[in-house]
Amino acid sequence: MYNFDEIIDRTHTNALNTDGFRGYIFHADETMQFPFKDEEFIRMWVADMEFATPDVIIDAMKERLDRRIFGYTSLFGNEYYNAFASWCKRRYDWTFDASDLFSSNGIIPALYELVEYICKEDEKLLFLTPSYAYFKYAADFNHKEAVCCDLVCEDGYYTIDFDDLAEKAADEKTTLMIFCNPHNPSGRVWTEEELAKIADIVSKNNMWIISDEIHCDLLRKGLKHIPMGKVMPDYTRLITAMAPSKTFNIAGLMFSNILIRDLGLRAIWKERHYGFDNPLSIVAAQAAYEKGEPWLNELSAYLDENFKFVGEYLAEHLPKAKYRISEATYLAWVDLNAYFTPEESLTMFFAYEAGVLLEGGNMFVQNSDGFIRLNLACPKATVAEGLKRICESVNSKK
Ligand SMILES: Cc1ncc(COP(=O)(O)O)c(C=O)c1O
């Protein structure tokens, strides 16, 4: 019903993906040259999608445009809460109070703020590595020490070293864990047992935990997301972050849900957070949760096929690559250590040799050398061309 094969031109829309990659990936300006023209790149890097946002969302924004005034706006009343809460009930069998819900212009800005509000001067924050780099940036920005727990990877399957985690969490200066559930970049959907162990370690040490669940709507068929809020129903030092941004390709609308239980933290948030939202973003998010499910179901099936295709293609053309279909996200995480030395920048290699923009392991804090992250939220034809170029460039590598 929806056409995920359509190739949509994003150039000259101020999209980071097309127009801003030099700055973000290479910390360079427009003088940086490649053996490819910009429009010749296959772009499989930043986590937004090449698919059109569903019509139900665009229609809601159009209706709001017709109201013609765009003054200061925030979440008033219960309409948005009802839409989002019913999404969570339906999909995760999880409920939360309206008073828990706050909005933020993105999860990243909320992380930066929450670290500031939660961690005192010499306190540290903990996360699992490889990691989405902004967890580390949130620590750096607030001059807090980042404590990393390396995940264990066996045959491409990542698990948590709970002994290491327990030891690091026991440090009384480590007061906050930022937890990615499901995990970017490994794609793991943590099991109930794993979540219970995390909950146990966190609560024993009376730590704060921010559960970043931004990828929770994007799971492979048959898998189920368990919100940390369900595992720790009464734990007040839990903050949950969810958003329609990844799910419905509206990251640029900068709207996310931050669920805060602790009354003291809520008071600080209310006092210090800049509490306005974009009027178009609110209606978009509400429409997504109310009417976006049929689109998401089709998208999920399309993504499942892309993941399958990548596995088959790599097995044939790059047999020493280690790959496992990600349980969640639209991001593939591929181990190319058989073909590269740990010092090589894979981001550079594939940009220059293959004309593919992707994120190399160096962009995920640590414990990620020799890996690439590929964004598969693209039309099949784009994924196929990207994979062809990747495999050819590796196979002709000197
Ligand atoms: C784990 C994780 N958290 C947060 C974000 C971005 O959040 P936002 O766009 O709401 O700031 C991303 C984007 O890739 C992500 O992977």
Side-chain angles (χ1 to χ4, degrees):
M1 190 175 151
Y2 303 99
N3 181 10
F4 296 107
D5 291 327
E6 183 186 0
I7 310 267
I8 300 176
D9 179 19
R10 303 177 68 184
T11 56
H12 308 303
T13 60
N14 285 310
L16 179 66
N17 198 320
T18 53
D19 302 351
F21 70 87
R22 282 183 176 74
Y24 191 99
I25 307 181
F26 302 105
H27 310 289
D29 61 22
E30 62 284 359
T31 57
M32 186 177 195
Q33 294 297 316
F34 298 90
F36 300 88
K37 294 199 193 105
D38 284 16
E39 60 272 23
E40 288 169 348
F41 276 115
I42 296 292
R43 293 169 286 100
M44 304 177 86
W45 68 287
V46 64
D48 60 20
M49 309 202 250
E50 293 298 296
F51 306 130
T53 293
D55 284 343
V56 285
I57 294 182
I58 297 171
D59 290 344
M61 291 169 78
K62 284 181 181 160
E63 271 178 38
R64 181 63 188 82
L65 282 174
D66 287 341
R67 300 291 301 266
R68 298 185 299 160
I69 296 179
F70 307 98
Y72 291 110
T73 309
S74 195
L75 289 182
F76 300 109
N78 268 347
E79 260 184 65
Y80 176 75
Y81 164 77
N82 290 339
F84 174 50
S86 118
W87 177 269
C88 290
K89 174 72 188 143
R90 217 161 55 241
R91 294 183 67 93
Y92 309 123
D93 190 27
W94 178 54
T95 48
F96 57 87
D97 290 339
S99 53
D100 290 1
L101 178 64
F102 297 88
S103 59
S104 163
N105 302 158
I107 289 178
I108 298 312
L111 286 183
Y112 278 46
E113 270 183 83
L114 289 166
V115 172
E116 185 190 338
Y117 301 162
I118 290 170
C119 296
K120 298 198 189 67
E121 185 75 27
D122 55 348
E123 292 181 350
K124 310 174 201 175
L125 69 89
L126 178 72
F127 52 86
L128 306 172
T129 37
S131 173
Y132 179 56
Y134 276 93
F135 292 2
K136 168 94 173 32
Y137 300 157
D140 295 348
F141 181 79
N142 286 288
H143 309 289
K144 299 289 174 282
E145 189 181 323
V147 180
C148 298
C149 280
D150 284 346
L151 291 167
V152 180
C153 178
E154 263 171 72
D155 274 338
Y157 191 70
Y158 281 82
T159 50
I160 299 167
D161 179 345
F162 285 105
D163 291 336
D164 182 47
L165 184 68
E167 201 181 309
K168 288 173 175 159
D171 177 349
E172 62 177 25
K173 289 290 173 197
T174 304
T175 51
L176 167 65
M177 177 171 189
I178 305 184
F179 180 53
C180 199
N181 173 35
H183 185 256
N184 171 18
S186 74
R188 273 299 316 277
V189 170
W190 307 112
T191 61
E192 203 166 349
E193 199 189 345
E194 286 170 315
L195 294 172
K197 283 188 185 166
I198 297 267
D200 187 47
I201 291 171
V202 164
S203 54
K204 269 199 182 117
N205 292 288
N206 202 23
M207 286 169 80
W208 291 86
I209 175 166
I210 302 174
S211 189
D212 179 346
E213 308 193 358
I214 194 170
H215 295 282
C216 70
D217 301 318
L218 295 156
L219 268 55
R220 300 289 84 73
K221 196 175 170 58
L223 295 176
K224 263 194 120 39
H225 170 68
I226 307 173
M228 203 59 183
K230 238 175 125 169
V231 182
M232 306 180 93
D234 305 314
Y235 196 70
T236 53
R237 292 192 162 190
L238 166 70
I239 298 120
T240 302
M242 286 184 176
S245 52
K246 299 277 163 216
T247 318
F248 296 99
N249 209 17
I250 51 174
L253 295 179
M254 318 242 350
F255 186 87
S256 58
N257 308 297
I258 310 295
L259 303 165
I260 304 175
R261 290 172 170 172
D262 183 83
L263 297 181
L265 184 62
R266 257 188 222 171
I268 301 175
W269 180 275
K270 282 184 188 163
E271 192 180 307
R272 298 180 58 186
H273 177 77
Y274 185 74
F276 296 110
D277 299 300
N278 185 319
L280 296 177
S281 307
I282 295 178
V283 293
Q286 189 175 321
Y289 290 133
E290 282 173 353
K291 302 177 194 155
E293 208 154 15
W295 180 90
L296 178 59
N297 291 340
E298 276 194 37
L299 169 81
S300 300
Y302 194 92
L303 291 175
D304 285 359
E305 285 302 310
N306 279 357
F307 273 97
K308 210 167 129 226
F309 167 79
V310 169
E312 288 162 5
Y313 198 91
L314 288 174
E316 189 176 341
H317 298 277
L318 223 50
K320 284 191 248 165
K322 289 191 191 145
Y323 167 84
R324 218 175 228 268
I325 293 181
S326 303
E327 294 170 333
T329 76
Y330 46 70
L331 309 162
W333 184 241
V334 188
D335 180 351
L336 295 181
N337 275 293
Y339 299 98
F340 292 87
T341 59
E343 308 75 52
E344 281 177 280
S345 165
L346 277 61
T347 318
M348 286 286 190
F349 176 86
F350 288 107
Y352 277 91
E353 303 299 326
V356 176
L357 297 175
L358 51 74
E359 299 199 5
N362 61 313
M363 296 171 79
F364 296 89
V365 187
Q366 68 177 42
N367 192 25
S368 46
D369 288 339
F371 282 78
I372 53 171
R373 196 191 76 173
L374 295 175
N375 181 339
L376 302 189
C378 313
K380 274 192 195 77
T382 309
V383 176
E385 177 62 19
L387 262 286
K388 179 168 166 283
R389 292 188 192 187
I390 287 169
C391 293
E392 280 174 4
S393 66
V394 175
N395 286 323
S396 54
K397 187 172 179 269
K398 287 167 207 99

PDB file of all heavy atoms in Angstrom, residues 59-73:
ATOM      1  N   ASP A  59      -0.943  15.280   6.728  1.00  0.00           N
ATOM      2  CA  ASP A  59      -2.291  15.879   6.706  1.00  0.00           C
ATOM      3  C   ASP A  59      -2.573  16.632   8.005  1.00  0.00           C
ATOM      4  O   ASP A  59      -3.158  17.720   7.991  1.00  0.00           O
ATOM      5  CB  ASP A  59      -3.363  14.802   6.483  1.00  0.00           C
ATOM      6  CG  ASP A  59      -3.297  14.241   5.062  1.00  0.00           C
ATOM      7  OD1 ASP A  59      -2.656  14.894   4.207  1.00  0.00           O
ATOM      8  OD2 ASP A  59      -3.851  13.153   4.829  1.00  0.00           O
ATOM      9  N   ALA A  60      -2.171  16.054   9.109  1.00  0.00           N
ATOM     10  CA  ALA A  60      -2.413  16.725  10.399  1.00  0.00           C
ATOM     11  C   ALA A  60      -1.650  18.053  10.444  1.00  0.00           C
ATOM     12  O   ALA A  60      -2.152  19.062  10.960  1.00  0.00           O
ATOM     13  CB  ALA A  60      -1.968  15.817  11.549  1.00  0.00           C
ATOM     14  N   MET A  61      -0.449  18.057   9.876  1.00  0.00           N
ATOM     15  CA  MET A  61       0.331  19.299   9.861  1.00  0.00           C
ATOM     16  C   MET A  61      -0.325  20.325   8.925  1.00  0.00           C
ATOM     17  O   MET A  61      -0.358  21.522   9.234  1.00  0.00           O
ATOM     18  CB  MET A  61       1.773  19.014   9.437  1.00  0.00           C
ATOM     19  CG  MET A  61       2.525  18.217  10.491  1.00  0.00           C
ATOM     20  SD  MET A  61       4.097  17.591   9.885  1.00  0.00           S
ATOM     21  CE  MET A  61       5.067  19.056   9.988  1.00  0.00           C
ATOM     22  N   LYS A  62      -0.864  19.842   7.820  1.00  0.00           N
ATOM     23  CA  LYS A  62      -1.540  20.760   6.892  1.00  0.00           C
ATOM     24  C   LYS A  62      -2.755  21.402   7.564  1.00  0.00           C
ATOM     25  O   LYS A  62      -3.002  22.597   7.432  1.00  0.00           O
ATOM     26  CB  LYS A  62      -1.988  20.017   5.626  1.00  0.00           C
ATOM     27  CG  LYS A  62      -0.845  19.728   4.661  1.00  0.00           C
ATOM     28  CD  LYS A  62      -1.386  19.012   3.431  1.00  0.00           C
ATOM     29  CE  LYS A  62      -0.263  18.683   2.466  1.00  0.00           C
ATOM     30  NZ  LYS A  62      -0.645  17.617   1.527  1.00  0.00           N
ATOM     31  N   GLU A  63      -3.500  20.574   8.280  1.00  0.00           N
ATOM     32  CA  GLU A  63      -4.676  21.118   8.995  1.00  0.00           C
ATOM     33  C   GLU A  63      -4.249  22.183   9.994  1.00  0.00           C
ATOM     34  O   GLU A  63      -4.899  23.211  10.150  1.00  0.00           O
ATOM     35  CB  GLU A  63      -5.394  20.007   9.767  1.00  0.00           C
ATOM     36  CG  GLU A  63      -6.440  19.301   8.953  1.00  0.00           C
ATOM     37  CD  GLU A  63      -7.082  18.163   9.757  1.00  0.00           C
ATOM     38  OE1 GLU A  63      -7.295  18.330  10.979  1.00  0.00           O
ATOM     39  OE2 GLU A  63      -7.324  17.117   9.151  1.00  0.00           O
ATOM     40  N   ARG A  64      -3.142  21.912  10.649  1.00  0.00           N
ATOM     41  CA  ARG A  64      -2.651  22.893  11.634  1.00  0.00           C
ATOM     42  C   ARG A  64      -2.174  24.163  10.925  1.00  0.00           C
ATOM     43  O   ARG A  64      -2.408  25.277  11.422  1.00  0.00           O
ATOM     44  CB  ARG A  64      -1.535  22.257  12.471  1.00  0.00           C
ATOM     45  CG  ARG A  64      -0.940  23.161  13.555  1.00  0.00           C
ATOM     46  CD  ARG A  64      -1.951  23.555  14.610  1.00  0.00           C
ATOM     47  NE  ARG A  64      -1.414  24.550  15.528  1.00  0.00           N
ATOM     48  CZ  ARG A  64      -1.367  25.868  15.290  1.00  0.00           C
ATOM     49  NH1 ARG A  64      -1.853  26.343  14.145  1.00  0.00           N
ATOM     50  NH2 ARG A  64      -0.859  26.701  16.174  1.00  0.00           N
ATOM     51  N   LEU A  65      -1.540  24.001   9.759  1.00  0.00           N
ATOM     52  CA  LEU A  65      -1.119  25.176   8.976  1.00  0.00           C
ATOM     53  C   LEU A  65      -2.314  26.057   8.656  1.00  0.00           C
ATOM     54  O   LEU A  65      -2.226  27.288   8.680  1.00  0.00           O
ATOM     55  CB  LEU A  65      -0.455  24.742   7.662  1.00  0.00           C
ATOM     56  CG  LEU A  65       0.991  24.247   7.726  1.00  0.00           C
ATOM     57  CD1 LEU A  65       1.422  23.719   6.363  1.00  0.00           C
ATOM     58  CD2 LEU A  65       1.935  25.358   8.171  1.00  0.00           C
ATOM     59  N   ASP A  66      -3.441  25.420   8.378  1.00  0.00           N
ATOM     60  CA  ASP A  66      -4.645  26.176   8.030  1.00  0.00           C
ATOM     61  C   ASP A  66      -5.188  27.005   9.185  1.00  0.00           C
ATOM     62  O   ASP A  66      -6.013  27.891   8.972  1.00  0.00           O
ATOM     63  CB  ASP A  66      -5.744  25.229   7.507  1.00  0.00           C
ATOM     64  CG  ASP A  66      -5.417  24.733   6.107  1.00  0.00           C
ATOM     65  OD1 ASP A  66      -4.582  25.375   5.442  1.00  0.00           O
ATOM     66  OD2 ASP A  66      -5.971  23.700   5.696  1.00  0.00           O
ATOM     67  N   ARG A  67      -4.741  26.713  10.389  1.00  0.00           N
ATOM     68  CA  ARG A  67      -5.164  27.549  11.523  1.00  0.00           C
ATOM     69  C   ARG A  67      -4.367  28.865  11.550  1.00  0.00           C
ATOM     70  O   ARG A  67      -4.669  29.764  12.304  1.00  0.00           O
ATOM     71  CB  ARG A  67      -4.993  26.787  12.852  1.00  0.00           C
ATOM     72  CG  ARG A  67      -5.793  25.512  12.923  1.00  0.00           C
ATOM     73  CD  ARG A  67      -7.279  25.774  13.007  1.00  0.00           C
ATOM     74  NE  ARG A  67      -7.601  26.571  14.174  1.00  0.00           N
ATOM     75  CZ  ARG A  67      -7.977  26.072  15.359  1.00  0.00           C
ATOM     76  NH1 ARG A  67      -8.103  24.780  15.510  1.00  0.00           N
ATOM     77  NH2 ARG A  67      -8.242  26.877  16.369  1.00  0.00           N
ATOM     78  N   ARG A  68      -3.317  28.955  10.806  1.00  0.00           N
ATOM     79  CA  ARG A  68      -2.587  30.165  10.404  1.00  0.00           C
ATOM     80  C   ARG A  68      -1.813  30.934  11.483  1.00  0.00           C
ATOM     81  O   ARG A  68      -1.090  31.860  11.166  1.00  0.00           O
ATOM     82  CB  ARG A  68      -3.548  31.132   9.681  1.00  0.00           C
ATOM     83  CG  ARG A  68      -4.111  30.541   8.411  1.00  0.00           C
ATOM     84  CD  ARG A  68      -4.940  31.538   7.658  1.00  0.00           C
ATOM     85  NE  ARG A  68      -6.066  31.962   8.454  1.00  0.00           N
ATOM     86  CZ  ARG A  68      -6.759  33.086   8.257  1.00  0.00           C
ATOM     87  NH1 ARG A  68      -6.422  33.899   7.286  1.00  0.00           N
ATOM     88  NH2 ARG A  68      -7.781  33.397   9.013  1.00  0.00           N
ATOM     89  N   ILE A  69      -1.973  30.613  12.712  1.00  0.00           N
ATOM     90  CA  ILE A  69      -1.207  31.319  13.747  1.00  0.00           C
ATOM     91  C   ILE A  69      -0.304  30.320  14.465  1.00  0.00           C
ATOM     92  O   ILE A  69      -0.743  29.224  14.820  1.00  0.00           O
ATOM     93  CB  ILE A  69      -2.149  32.023  14.747  1.00  0.00           C
ATOM     94  CG1 ILE A  69      -2.947  33.115  14.006  1.00  0.00           C
ATOM     95  CG2 ILE A  69      -1.359  32.643  15.906  1.00  0.00           C
ATOM     96  CD1 ILE A  69      -3.929  33.877  14.879  1.00  0.00           C
ATOM     97  N   PHE A  70       0.948  30.704  14.647  1.00  0.00           N
ATOM     98  CA  PHE A  70       1.944  29.775  15.203  1.00  0.00           C
ATOM     99  C   PHE A  70       2.664  30.381  16.406  1.00  0.00           C
ATOM    100  O   PHE A  70       3.881  30.451  16.464  1.00  0.00           O
ATOM    101  CB  PHE A  70       2.934  29.355  14.108  1.00  0.00           C
ATOM    102  CG  PHE A  70       2.239  28.826  12.891  1.00  0.00           C
ATOM    103  CD1 PHE A  70       2.029  29.647  11.785  1.00  0.00           C
ATOM    104  CD2 PHE A  70       1.717  27.546  12.884  1.00  0.00           C
ATOM    105  CE1 PHE A  70       1.322  29.178  10.688  1.00  0.00           C
ATOM    106  CE2 PHE A  70       1.014  27.069  11.788  1.00  0.00           C
ATOM    107  CZ  PHE A  70       0.815  27.893  10.681  1.00  0.00           C
ATOM    108  N   GLY A  71       1.847  30.842  17.331  1.00  0.00           N
ATOM    109  CA  GLY A  71       2.421  31.456  18.537  1.00  0.00           C
ATOM    110  C   GLY A  71       2.996  30.402  19.481  1.00  0.00           C
ATOM    111  O   GLY A  71       3.034  29.217  19.161  1.00  0.00           O
ATOM    112  N   TYR A  72       3.449  30.839  20.652  1.00  0.00           N
ATOM    113  CA  TYR A  72       4.058  29.927  21.624  1.00  0.00           C
ATOM    114  C   TYR A  72       3.114  28.775  21.930  1.00  0.00           C
ATOM    115  O   TYR A  72       1.920  28.978  22.167  1.00  0.00           O
ATOM    116  CB  TYR A  72       4.402  30.664  22.918  1.00  0.00           C
ATOM    117  CG  TYR A  72       5.531  31.647  22.713  1.00  0.00           C
ATOM    118  CD1 TYR A  72       5.302  33.011  22.749  1.00  0.00           C
ATOM    119  CD2 TYR A  72       6.822  31.186  22.467  1.00  0.00           C
ATOM    120  CE1 TYR A  72       6.331  33.906  22.547  1.00  0.00           C
ATOM    121  CE2 TYR A  72       7.855  32.073  22.264  1.00  0.00           C
ATOM    122  CZ  TYR A  72       7.614  33.437  22.303  1.00  0.00           C
ATOM    123  OH  TYR A  72       8.633  34.307  22.098  1.00  0.00           O
ATOM    124  N   THR A  73       3.669  27.593  21.943  1.00  0.00           N
ATOM    125  CA  THR A  73       2.845  26.392  22.035  1.00  0.00           C
ATOM    126  C   THR A  73       3.497  25.401  22.987  1.00  0.00           C
ATOM    127  O   THR A  73       4.723  25.290  23.042  1.00  0.00           O
ATOM    128  CB  THR A  73       2.735  25.749  20.631  1.00  0.00           C
ATOM    129  OG1 THR A  73       2.333  26.746  19.702  1.00  0.00           O
ATOM    130  CG2 THR A  73       1.732  24.624  20.598  1.00  0.00           C
TER     131      THR A  73
END
